[in-house]
Structure formats: structure tokens, C-alpha cells
Amino acid sequence: MQEDRYLEPHQARRRTPTEWESLLGDSLERAFAAGKHELAPIVDYLNHAGPPAPNGVPWTEELLQSELARLAETA
């Protein structure tokens, strides 16, 4: 009998995402579904569709990169 070798969807998650993190994830999924796979078009999409960046400032490429890195460390 072979063991199931797939991870449970949230097995590696350390905590439940915040509402803002869930909104960001949903918006990123919609951007990818719309064919946006490069950083600049994704940033433009987020600035148009939301959610707003931390502190309500506009998204920039640098801000998105740093925020995703921060979230990866806390996830």
C-alpha cells in the first residue's frame, strides 16, 4: 500500500492568513488568470483592483517584492 505523498493544502502554513492577505492572494490569482505574469503588469493590476498596499500607498515593484518576501517568512 502506497502512502499519499501529497501535502494537505494548509499543512505547511503556520497561521491563518489575515483578511488583507487573503484579499491580496485573491487579487494576485485574478491577475495571473488575466495573463499578467510579469512584475510591472501585476503591480498595475493591484493598483487598479486592490487591495491597497500597506499604509495605503500605491504598489510599486519594490514594495510588492518586499511584501511577498515578508509574507513568505511569516506564513
Side-chain angles (χ1 to χ4, degrees), residues 27-67:
S27 194
L28 289 171
E29 287 178 4
R30 287 191 302 274
F32 295 142
K36 300 178 186 322
H37 302 286
E38 301 295 325
L39 197 54
I42 292 170
V43 167
D44 290 341
Y45 184 90
L46 289 174
N47 281 321
H48 174 74
N55 300 321
V57 300
W59 285 105
T60 63
E61 292 181 25
E62 295 79 17
L63 179 56
L64 180 57
Q65 288 175 315
S66 67
E67 190 61 21

Side-chain angles (χ1 to χ4, degrees), residues 3-23:
E3 285 185 46
D4 184 7
R5 295 188 179 166
Y6 295 96
L7 289 174
E8 292 295 319
H10 303 292
Q11 180 176 342
R13 188 168 71 183
R14 294 182 205 149
R15 62 176 177 78
T16 303
T18 66
E19 183 178 345
W20 181 85
E21 291 167 351
S22 292
L23 291 171

